[in-house]
Amino acid sequence: MSVFKLPSPDVDIFGCEMRQSTNSSPLIRLLSDLYIRPHCRRILPAARRTFSTTIRKHQQDNHEPSHIKGAEIGVLGGGITGLATAYFLTHLLPGTKITLYEASSRLGGWLQSKSVGLEDGKEILFEQGPRNLRPSYPNGMVTLYLIQLLGLETEMLTTSTNSPAAQNRFIYYPDHLVRMPHPSQGILRAGMTFFSEPIFKGAFPALLREPFVNRRPEDLDDESVGDMISRRFSKNLADNVLSAVLHGIYAGDVYNLSAKSLMPAFWNLEGRRDGPRRQRGSLVMSMLQGPNLAAMVQEKDVHLMTEVSGKMEAITGRQADEQEGMSEIDRESMIIGMKESSVFTFRKGLGQLADSLVAALEKNSDVEMKQQCPINRLEKVPSDQGASRLQLSYGNSESQTHSHIVSTISAQKLASISTSTNLKQIVRQKSVTVMVVNLYYSNPSLLPVSGFGYLLPRSLPFEQNPERALGVVFDSDATIGQDSIIGTKVTVMLGGHWWDDWSSYPDEQEAVRMACAVLKRHLKITEQPAETVATLQRDCIPQYHVGFTRDMTRMHGTLLDEFEGKLSVAGSSYTGVGVNDCIRSGYDVAQGLANSLSLIPQVRNKHGKDGVLTGLETVVEEPKVRLRPGRTLKDVFNNGRQAIDNERPWFI
């Protein structure tokens, strides 16, 4: 029985004929190596043409627009999601008027890279927000596509999977650094750590006991990550290990964050009812079954593989013909460097990605960017053409109407400016505030260990963390190549959920003092830093509370009912807080709007009513397909269209 169908390999999603290429580019070989098992080296089959290529061909050949006339899109927020969304829209809907609104005087949001000059003319780079990206699957694939569109490949700096930063990650507990088990340690050494360190106390008995733990009640719709891990394993594991990990990602409380939203694979595995009786509900038994387990994957990710890889293939082909100053050898060198990378950034920091997006948008005459333009009100209003439009009010008495709006601002802010009472009642998401303290020491040998850094769990005794730090990054180990002088560079993160009830926050001087106290206590660093920067990032990380999916389902319905699907959302409030997640959500919304506004019936009819999109479709509906035992998404990516067109060996 057929699971799902994509268009014929000879026809792209616009129903137009395609010309298949026979040669695979170096970038596709890179992606194959990144996302498939090491022994697999088959070349990805030729993928479909990109949307933008088809649009240009259709316009040139038929001298008519490829999308519904009158589309004017507003984008709220000039952070990485808003910039990426606007940029993708310019490629997918060429000629469409796009207006981006940003409340502050700068664009880029939390991506802030600051170059600091030293007395001898040297410079160091401080990251005041996110500092690196993972070439992960599938969201990292969209980021790589964006990087390729912007021509930033040669600006990338990678951290090798064999480097200390990739292999050495620590948690501080109860009074010393504990290296987390890693394959590079070997079984004996990793086992000694697991059985001897207090941080793992009771973990082994908990693993043995887990297969005999009853499955969660059928009427349990959601619970916290901490409660789920405590119920199935042990409270020590949740408090000592998992809370530290979530401090590093969400700066949140493990007992307030949603298991269903943050750990969907574990949540679904516990709820599965197929297979042998003992495997039903057991996370350990399901993972041990490994290749024999039929995996559930999101259909949208399967579609994304062929869609984005086809676009990247087309761009690489054009680069070979058009790009100057970069030979095939140069491209191969860049690709080999990426192949073995655990994380990557750019020579001028992650802020370079935002700056490149801004520069590209400024060159586009169809794009207008309004800075220092906070929105006061968002409402649906009638129009002379009959169909309703969305109106934005800003300044003293200025306003602008749009056929569609994509909001990339926080859910709380969107609810506050919207005229929808239901939206105000539904959105109960909160965000945490983090103080980021960057410190540079001229002594290059201060750190007692080499690695990426360490995290602090909620179970750490108060006397070991009175400043309420979340973690410390060893920047001089984690990222090499951004500074023109050697030394020791670290970043201390303070606050997060620990500061939820604080009425005021430390100033820059006090924050530096607190960070130095953390380093002195944990790492015995007594020297004074040569340069420091402290940045308070207010409400920077949204928290996915228990019941988050239920709230998003209600929000999806409200956006459809009250705004007729003309208001879409994207960004860290909805589908993940990482930079890759934000870029992916912007791409999904831009692609969805391009599909729903297409003049070509085969595309528009598949996506329903013209212009209807909320951005929450996959959060709410989550259509899935089941891979046959032994198959993975990596294998599907490796085999490309062959896996999708010939479903029987791949999907159940």
Side-chain angles (χ1 to χ4, degrees):
M1 181 177 179
S2 178
V3 179
F4 65 94
K5 283 292 183 183
L6 288 179
S8 156
D10 296 320
V11 179
D12 70 7
I13 54 177
F14 283 100
C16 299
E17 292 185 0
M18 293 173 51
R19 183 182 63 196
Q20 296 190 6
S21 63
T22 56
N23 297 320
S24 181
S25 72
L27 185 54
I28 292 301
R29 295 200 296 274
L30 159 67
L31 292 171
S32 297
D33 286 335
L34 279 173
Y35 303 120
I36 64 175
R37 290 190 294 267
H39 65 272
C40 294
R41 288 297 182 268
R42 286 173 291 179
I43 302 301
L44 180 70
R48 295 168 294 154
R49 289 286 184 180
T50 67
F51 274 113
S52 55
T53 301
T54 304
I55 289 170
R56 286 194 299 270
K57 183 179 185 299
H58 185 77
Q59 289 175 330
Q60 292 169 359
D61 295 348
N62 300 283
H63 306 288
E64 60 183 38
S66 294
H67 298 90
I68 294 173
K69 295 180 179 180
E72 298 179 39
I73 302 174
V75 178
L76 305 186
I80 184 61
T81 312
L83 293 172
T85 301
Y87 184 73
F88 285 133
L89 285 170
T90 63
H91 281 261
L92 298 168
L93 294 169
T96 301
K97 175 65 177 177
I98 299 168
T99 306
L100 185 144
Y101 301 86
E102 167 56 40
S104 70
S105 59
R106 66 174 294 273
L107 298 167
W110 306 120
L111 271 61
Q112 296 177 258
S113 305
K114 183 176 182 178
S115 181
V116 177
L118 304 179
E119 292 181 357
D120 54 2
K122 302 292 186 178
E123 289 187 344
I124 54 174
L125 186 77
F126 283 150
E127 290 283 19
Q128 299 166 283
R131 61 205 57 246
N132 50 52
L133 302 170
R134 290 185 179 276
S136 58
Y137 178 87
N139 292 355
M141 187 177 178
V142 181
T143 301
L144 289 174
Y145 168 53
L146 177 62
I147 290 170
Q148 191 184 28
L149 281 174
L150 294 169
L152 290 176
E153 299 99 322
T154 57
E155 294 297 307
M156 297 168 68
L157 295 175
T158 64
T159 299
S160 169
T161 54
N162 296 320
S163 68
Q167 298 181 355
N168 302 338
R169 295 170 186 259
F170 302 87
I171 292 179
Y172 189 90
Y173 182 88
D175 58 3
H176 62 279
L177 294 176
V178 181
R179 183 187 177 191
M180 292 296 98
H182 186 274
S184 63
Q185 295 174 281
I187 296 177
L188 181 60
R189 189 173 180 182
M192 289 178 61
T193 299
F194 186 75
F195 286 104
S196 64
E197 286 290 348
I199 192 173
F200 295 114
K201 182 179 179 180
F204 185 66
L207 290 173
L208 296 178
R209 189 171 55 247
E210 194 273 343
F212 303 94
V213 175
N214 291 330
R215 185 166 43 201
R216 65 174 181 265
E218 291 187 15
D219 60 349
L220 183 62
D221 179 62
D222 197 1
E223 65 181 324
S224 73
V225 173
D227 287 335
M228 180 182 181
I229 298 303
S230 297
R231 176 171 56 78
R232 295 217 61 88
F233 296 96
S234 71
K235 193 174 188 302
N236 279 346
L237 192 61
D239 290 350
N240 297 345
V241 179
L242 200 58
S243 70
V245 173
L246 295 186
H247 277 169
I249 302 173
Y250 294 90
D253 186 349
V254 68
Y255 290 100
N256 287 333
L257 294 168
S258 163
K260 188 175 183 179
S261 299
L262 271 61
M263 305 176 69
F266 276 13
W267 182 264
N268 292 330
L269 281 175
E270 187 185 19
R272 68 188 288 255
R273 298 182 178 278
D274 60 325
R277 183 174 180 274
R278 181 47 54 201
Q279 293 169 1
R280 300 175 189 174
S282 171
L283 307 183
V284 170
M285 296 303 294
S286 295
M287 289 185 289
L288 288 177
Q289 189 184 6
N292 297 318
L293 180 66
M296 292 295 292
V297 298
Q298 291 200 351
E299 184 178 325
K300 65 173 183 177
D301 293 336
V302 177
H303 284 261
L304 179 77
M305 285 184 294
T306 55
E307 183 176 274
V308 176
S309 62
K311 296 180 180 184
M312 297 178 79
E313 173 76 14
I315 295 173
T316 303
R318 290 197 298 271
Q319 286 178 337
D321 298 330
E322 301 172 5
Q323 190 167 347
E324 297 180 0
M326 184 179 185
S327 67
E328 189 69 24
I329 295 178
D330 294 329
R331 283 193 293 274
E332 288 283 6
S333 299
M334 180 271 294
I335 290 166
I336 291 172
M338 270 295 297
K339 176 181 174 181
E340 300 295 337
S341 67
S342 62
V343 296
F344 66 90
T345 182
F346 302 94
R347 298 184 188 279
K348 298 179 182 179
L350 281 192
Q352 188 173 359
L353 179 60
D355 293 341
S356 298
L357 284 168
V358 172
L361 292 172
E362 286 178 338
K363 294 178 182 177
N364 193 314
S365 59
D366 295 322
V367 178
E368 180 182 6
M369 293 186 285
K370 296 178 178 289
Q371 295 172 241
Q372 293 183 299
C373 185
I375 303 300
N376 304 321
R377 184 181 178 89
L378 186 159
E379 60 187 326
K380 186 176 67 174
V381 297
S383 70
D384 297 337
Q385 289 76 26
S388 61
R389 292 171 67 87
L390 299 183
Q391 179 171 285
L392 297 173
S393 300
Y394 51 91
N396 295 328
S397 58
E398 296 181 81
S399 64
Q400 181 69 42
T401 63
H402 298 276
S403 60
H404 300 81
I405 287 178
V406 180
S407 173
T408 69
I409 59 180
S410 70
Q412 308 100 296
K413 181 61 178 177
L414 175 62
S416 70
I417 65 174
S418 169
T419 56
S420 170
T421 302
N422 289 332
L423 205 57
K424 298 179 190 298
Q425 295 174 346
I426 292 170
V427 176
R428 55 192 181 99
Q429 186 182 57
K430 297 180 179 179
S431 297
V432 295
T433 296
V434 177
M435 178 71 80
V436 181
V437 185
N438 306 105
L439 306 102
Y440 168 77
Y441 300 84
S442 56
N443 184 349
S445 305
L446 280 182
L447 297 175
V449 294
S450 295
F452 191 85
Y454 67 94
L455 297 168
L456 305 173
R458 74 188 312 271
S459 55
L460 196 65
F462 178 78
E463 59 269 19
Q464 287 290 341
N465 189 23
E467 297 83 8
R468 293 309 193 189
L470 299 164
V472 177
V473 178
F474 302 159
D475 294 303
S476 45
D477 286 346
T479 304
I480 299 174
Q482 292 178 330
D483 305 321
S484 59
I485 188 173
I486 62 172
T488 298
K489 189 170 64 172
V490 298
T491 300
V492 180
M493 268 77 69
L494 308 166
H497 73 97
W498 293 121
W499 291 3
D500 280 350
D501 298 327
W502 287 30
S503 57
S504 60
Y505 302 109
D507 58 21
E508 183 173 354
Q509 184 177 2
E510 177 64 11
V512 171
R513 186 199 66 77
M514 294 168 69
C516 289
V518 170
L519 298 177
K520 180 179 180 180
R521 185 182 308 109
H522 297 166
L523 305 180
K524 313 304 180 189
I525 295 177
T526 57
E527 293 187 20
Q528 291 300 307
E531 290 290 341
T532 63
V533 172
T535 310
L536 185 66
Q537 305 286 23
R538 291 180 180 268
D539 300 326
C540 59
I541 306 179
Q543 302 294 285
Y544 290 25
H545 55 270
V546 176
F548 174 78
T549 302
R550 183 173 58 250
D551 289 351
M552 291 301 99
T553 301
R554 295 179 59 199
M555 185 174 183
H556 173 69
T558 297
L559 294 179
L560 286 177
D561 295 341
E562 298 190 21
F563 294 94
E564 301 176 359
K566 297 179 182 295
L567 173 60
S568 307
V569 295
S572 59
S573 282
Y574 310 100
T575 55
V577 301
V579 175
N580 283 339
D581 302 324
C582 292
I583 293 173
R584 165 74 187 273
S585 68
Y587 174 84
D588 283 344
V589 168
Q591 187 71 80
L593 282 175
N595 291 343
S596 61
L597 293 174
S598 173
L599 281 178
I600 300 176
Q602 295 97 311
V603 176
R604 189 173 68 255
N605 293 343
K606 179 182 176 182
H607 296 271
K609 188 178 178 182
D610 296 342
V612 173
L613 185 78
T614 71
L616 299 175
E617 286 78 10
T618 54
V619 177
V620 173
E621 299 165 6
E622 295 185 348
K624 293 182 174 65
V625 293
R626 186 181 293 277
L627 289 173
R628 289 189 178 277
R631 299 294 191 181
T632 67
L633 274 176
K634 297 176 184 178
D635 299 323
V636 175
F637 180 84
N638 180 45
N639 286 270
R641 282 214 64 99
Q642 179 185 350
I644 295 174
D645 296 331
N646 186 17
E647 294 173 3
R648 177 167 292 184
W650 297 89
F651 304 105
I652 297 176

